[in-house]
Amino acid sequence: MPEIKVIGDILSGKFQPTLTGNRVVDAALLAHFCQNLATALHLPLTQVHAEHHWDLTIAPEALYLIDDQILGSNQHLRSRPNVIGVAHKDLLRGQITATKRLLADKLALNSTTN
C-alpha cells in the first residue's frame, strides 16, 4: 500500500502557496482532511499525511493528493500518474467524497499490480 501525501500548502522553497494564509489553520485543515480520508479508506493515519515542506519532487512509490490551485501552476505535475488533483474547497472543508472515489481506483489498481 503506497504512502499518500496530501499537499495543500508548501511552507518552504521558492513556491509557497497556502490554503488560508495562516499556517496554524492550514495545518489543522490538512490534518482534518487526512484524518477523514484515512478513516474512509480504513488506512492507518500514518499512511495518509500532509506534506508541508514539499520540494515539488514526485516519488514514484507514493500517491500525491495536490490542491488544484497548486496543480494549476504546474501542468507537468498534473500529467503524472500518481498525482490526483483535489478541489481547493474540499481541502478547506475536509470533504473527501470525490477524492475517495479517485483514490479507491488508484489503490485497487496498485494492489492488483503488486
Side-chain angles (χ1 to χ4, degrees), residues 57-77:
T57 303
I58 301 287
E61 67 278 357
L63 287 173
Y64 293 84
L65 306 179
I66 303 176
D67 185 332
D68 273 339
Q69 290 185 357
I70 295 172
L71 283 178
S73 65
N74 190 326
Q75 196 58 33
H76 173 69
L77 289 175

Side-chain angles (χ1 to χ4, degrees), residues 9-11 17-18 20 23 29 41-42 51 58 62 71 73 79 84 87-88 91 94 98 103 105-106 109 111:
D9 64 352
I10 300 174
L11 302 178
T18 61
T20 66
R23 286 182 174 209
L29 291 171
L41 294 174
H42 308 292
E51 183 76 32
I58 301 287
L71 283 178
S73 65
S79 66
I84 297 172
H88 185 78
L91 288 172
L103 195 52
D105 293 340
K106 294 251 185 213
L109 180 62
S111 66

Side-chain angles (χ1 to χ4, degrees), residues 37-52:
L37 191 60
T39 300
L41 294 174
H42 308 292
L43 298 172
L45 192 53
T46 56
Q47 190 174 345
V48 181
H49 63 87
E51 183 76 32
H52 301 286

Side-chain angles (χ1 to χ4, degrees), residues 1-5 58-64 82 110:
M1 190 67 76
E3 178 182 22
I4 299 169
K5 297 182 179 191
I58 301 287
E61 67 278 357
L63 287 173
Y64 293 84
N82 58 336
N110 192 343

Side-chain angles (χ1 to χ4, degrees), residues 97-110:
T97 306
T99 303
K100 180 183 170 189
R101 277 194 304 268
L102 293 170
L103 195 52
D105 293 340
K106 294 251 185 213
L107 291 174
L109 180 62
N110 192 343

